[in-house]
Amino acid sequence: MAGKIYRLSCRLIIGVFLATSYRTHYISELSAEMDGRQVVIAGWVHEVRNIGKIVFILLRDHTGIAQVMGKEGLSSDEVIRAMGMPKESVVMVRGKVRKNAQSRAGFEIIPSEIENLNPLESTIPFEVTGKVPADMDVRLDNRHIDLRRLETTSIFNIQSAILNSFRNTMTRNGFAEIRTPSLVEAATEGGADLFHVQYFENDAFLAQSPQLYKQLAVIGGMDRVFMVVPAFRAEKHNTVYHLNEVTQMDIEMGFADHNDAMDLLKKTATRIIEDVSQQNAADLERLGITLDTPKIKDITYKGAVGLLREEGQAIEFGQDLSREHEEKLCGLLGDLVLVREYPASVRAFYSMPNSDDPKVCNSYDLLYKGLEISSGAQRIHLPHVLIKSMKEHGLNPAKFDFYLNAFRQGAPPHAGWSLGLERLTMKLAGMPNIRECCMFPRDRVRLKP
Ligand code: AMO
């Protein structure tokens, strides 16, 4: 990796706005064509190399690594002082770009000044260079150091591009971004997986999703809304696919059914994959990922059960799909699979029963590379059907008075879905563990940093 300059990532579009008092350029903006140009770069000492007569620092910012020669420009005292700086010292380098065909990037920096901006007072807990691989828990305990690894930066560049693509697609399709509360009085998804909070004299919970609120916005006439929100799941799982605080990218649309929402989900998922593969080419390359945009295969839950049984999997109609089933379906059908019309018993209470087959509801999940990344449904908009479904799901309708009342006051048919940001990042960045794709993950045992 020494001396390698990475291509500009999608975040760095117009250099002129990015200069600060401490730098004129990001490292990825430098090139051999700038031979002779005075520049100021800033970042961390990645490595100090002393090869006989040649001494140099590899300076790293979040865009790449540059070779700063220690032999010329500075006096020998200054060189020695600079070379004595431990790895990960935070420095600013003034100097001149010099074309050098022998350097991997085709140029190097001849420094006139190397300033240590804040001398290290404590040792760095692991090697940022990756020469000595660090355990994931050690990296997560020291996330501010882990983020200095260019691979980690790439994961979050990809995540940023996903969010951007989602927001752009929604805005282009006439959706308005809204905020919904995280403190709620009752479960938004049903079930017992709730974090309890003492809310002054009352009990409250952290929202499992923005579900009820996005529906209220549509009933309120906003028609097309989207949101990016934290969702809190008190699930006791300890798997590589579950977090206890996730980020959901949700939408809800009025005067629409499940088919309309599924069409938009397919369009959005495809668009995100295309955008990431175009805009994050350098990040994907750094992570060793090749992305293609797969065609989406549709299958009903019933069809999926039949297919899985043919393949010798033990599954009965009425059972939810397991992780193994999801992996198998993607193996059989392709990277992107939309499974539709699940049995009502395995779906949330607000899912609309199917008019042709009351055993199933107008719900769907999108699987990507063997993992559920999204789920959604047409919602029940008829109050008497909603009350019946709540009772069948073991919920007390009295707890949902604000929600139920809305359905008695002119609620249009509506539908929506939610994409899990960290799961999607995980699959696009090719990470085996979801914790890698959440900057500060919350799991069964992790509550800091
Ligand atoms: P659901 O509960 O399926 O649906 O959540 C939507 C998406 O969020 C992600 N997700 C998770 N990711 C990691 N760890 C978890 N514990 C976790 N829980 C959920 C998944 C999932 O597909 N209200 C509905 C959506 C809707 O119908 O609009 C809901 O929240 O990627």
Side-chain angles (χ1 to χ4, degrees):
M1 194 152 75
K4 187 165 177 187
I5 303 297
Y6 289 94
R7 264 180 282 148
L8 227 62
S9 77
C10 67
R11 281 207 275 155
L12 313 174
I13 300 165
I14 311 165
V16 72
F17 294 121
L18 304 175
T20 67
S21 313
Y22 293 88
R23 61 159 67 92
T24 55
H25 294 81
Y26 279 128
I27 288 171
S28 62
E29 294 176 291
L30 304 179
S31 67
E33 286 74 64
M34 293 166 74
D35 188 43
R37 184 103 165 250
Q38 285 293 337
V39 294
V40 185
I41 54 175
W44 288 267
V45 173
H46 191 63
E47 282 203 70
V48 179
R49 297 240 174 108
N50 193 340
I51 314 163
K53 285 187 199 146
I54 306 174
V55 278
F56 58 89
I57 292 175
L58 293 180
L59 184 81
R60 186 195 66 243
D61 68 18
H62 73 288
T63 69
I65 295 172
Q67 187 168 304
V68 179
M69 293 306 291
K71 211 174 136 227
E72 296 169 49
L74 290 177
S75 73
S76 43
D77 277 0
E78 285 167 319
V79 173
I80 289 162
R81 213 173 38 241
M83 293 299 142
M85 277 191 291
K87 284 190 202 176
E88 295 311 309
S89 296
V90 60
V91 297
M92 183 171 83
V93 174
R94 276 177 209 288
K96 183 166 82 186
V97 177
R98 186 175 71 179
K99 197 171 175 174
N100 177 359
Q102 269 147 29
S103 131
R104 272 220 234 161
F107 71 90
E108 60 202 6
I109 304 296
I110 306 300
S112 52
E113 189 185 340
I114 301 178
E115 189 179 340
N116 189 343
L117 296 173
N118 191 0
L120 297 188
E121 289 188 9
S122 145
T123 48
I124 303 296
F126 60 89
E127 264 280 344
V128 175
T129 58
K131 281 185 180 155
V132 186
D135 189 63
M136 188 183 68
D137 276 321
V138 175
R139 290 194 289 104
L140 291 179
D141 286 344
N142 299 277
R143 195 54 140 167
H144 63 291
I145 301 293
D146 185 45
L147 281 163
R148 292 187 197 165
R149 295 187 322 124
L150 294 176
E151 292 79 2
T152 310
T153 307
S154 281
I155 296 173
F156 292 103
N157 282 345
I158 289 172
Q159 188 159 90
S160 171
I162 295 173
L163 286 164
N164 211 14
S165 176
F166 172 68
R167 285 199 162 100
N168 287 341
T169 305
M170 290 311 128
T171 309
R172 267 198 311 271
N173 282 278
F175 284 73
E177 182 161 8
I178 61 164
R179 309 300 302 162
T180 55
S182 289
L183 285 166
V184 296
E185 196 193 31
T188 48
E189 292 299 312
D193 300 329
L194 285 159
F195 286 110
H196 175 256
V197 178
Q198 189 63 44
Y199 191 68
F200 303 110
E201 294 77 33
N202 296 314
D203 288 324
F205 301 99
L206 295 180
Q208 294 160 303
S209 76
Q211 183 61 38
L212 312 186
Y213 298 93
K214 62 179 181 171
Q215 289 186 254
L216 291 183
V218 167
I219 295 170
M222 284 199 70
D223 203 55
R224 291 180 166 221
V225 293
F226 76 95
M227 66 233 67
V228 177
V229 286
F232 303 89
R233 310 281 174 124
E235 295 154 351
K236 290 188 174 152
H237 308 294
N238 190 6
T239 78
V240 295
Y241 310 101
H242 288 94
L243 291 169
N244 294 109
E245 179 176 348
V246 296
T247 307
Q248 291 191 188
M249 298 181 286
D250 273 52
I251 72 117
E252 199 67 23
M253 56 204 289
F255 300 92
D257 66 10
H258 53 304
N259 290 313
D260 301 312
M262 278 190 284
D263 283 348
L264 184 66
L265 175 58
K266 290 184 198 171
K267 199 156 103 180
T268 308
T270 309
R271 187 59 198 249
I272 291 174
I273 298 172
E274 277 168 6
D275 282 348
V276 167
S277 58
Q278 280 166 22
Q279 296 166 13
N280 296 82
D283 295 307
L284 293 167
E285 189 185 319
R286 189 179 288 154
L287 296 170
I289 300 294
T290 316
L291 272 188
D292 12 83
T293 315
K295 287 242 171 320
I296 302 182
K297 288 270 171 53
D298 267 38
I299 188 165
T300 60
Y301 165 87
K302 200 172 162 189
V305 169
L307 193 61
L308 289 167
R309 286 173 71 99
E310 274 170 33
E311 291 292 312
Q313 297 278 317
I315 178 166
E316 299 294 332
F317 186 95
Q319 250 178 278
D320 205 356
L321 298 182
S322 67
R323 290 274 318 104
E324 195 188 340
H325 297 145
E326 290 174 354
E327 269 171 21
K328 191 87 195 159
L329 284 175
C330 285
L332 292 167
L333 300 172
D335 273 353
L336 270 173
V337 178
L338 189 101
V339 185
R340 48 191 292 168
E341 286 137 35
Y342 282 79
S345 56
V346 298
R347 301 301 287 204
F349 68 92
Y350 47 73
S351 311
M352 179 65 111
N354 186 281
S355 48
D356 298 329
D357 180 357
K359 283 205 290 300
V360 300
C361 58
N362 293 344
S363 58
Y364 38 88
D365 276 0
L366 184 63
L367 315 180
Y368 182 40
K369 298 188 177 181
L371 181 66
E372 175 208 313
I373 55 159
S374 175
S375 92
Q378 180 183 356
R379 322 301 183 185
I380 303 175
H381 62 286
L382 307 169
H384 63 282
V385 184
L386 195 52
I387 292 172
K388 182 168 171 276
S389 177
M390 280 178 171
K391 288 182 181 159
E392 282 166 3
H393 282 80
L395 297 170
N396 177 4
K399 280 270 171 202
F400 295 85
D401 52 349
F402 74 96
Y403 178 69
L404 270 172
N405 274 339
F407 290 86
R408 300 186 178 108
Q409 296 169 340
H414 58 288
W417 43 257
S418 170
L419 270 164
L421 177 66
E422 294 83 2
R423 284 195 182 179
L424 184 52
T425 311
M426 184 183 170
K427 288 295 166 184
L428 287 172
M431 287 294 122
N433 193 321
I434 196 166
R435 290 162 183 77
E436 300 275 8
C437 303
C438 178
M439 198 170 281
F440 299 104
R442 295 290 173 256
D443 63 20
R444 192 82 170 80
V445 289
R446 183 172 288 283
L447 201 51
K448 75 174 189 185

